[in-house]
């Protein structure tokens, strides 16, 4: 079994009081806002991030 990185903060309220949920792999509960969420790794993008031709933000 491989260990996965834990989220640092809740994606809804930003609080750091997170606990693993009993709902399954990748599920977390936030004690601050009482929300549950699940993280899932989808894979690597084939092209990656490429800067645009003007030198600004990645596209």
């Amino acid at each position: 079994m491989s260990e996965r990185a834990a989220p640092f903060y809740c994606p809804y309220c930003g609080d750091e009081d997170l606990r693993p949920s009993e709902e399954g792999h990748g599920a977390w509960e936030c004690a601050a806002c009482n929300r549950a969420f699940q993280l899932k790794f989808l894979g690597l993008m084939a092209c990656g991030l490429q800067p645009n031709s003007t030198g600004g933000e990645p596209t």
Side-chain angles (χ1 to χ4, degrees), residues 43-52 58-59:
L44 298 174
M45 298 183 338
C47 62
L49 294 177
Q50 301 292 325
N52 64 21
T59 57

Side-chain angles (χ1 to χ4, degrees), residues 19-25 27-29:
R19 295 182 177 94
S21 175
E22 295 178 3
E23 293 298 316
H25 183 71
W28 294 86
E29 298 173 351

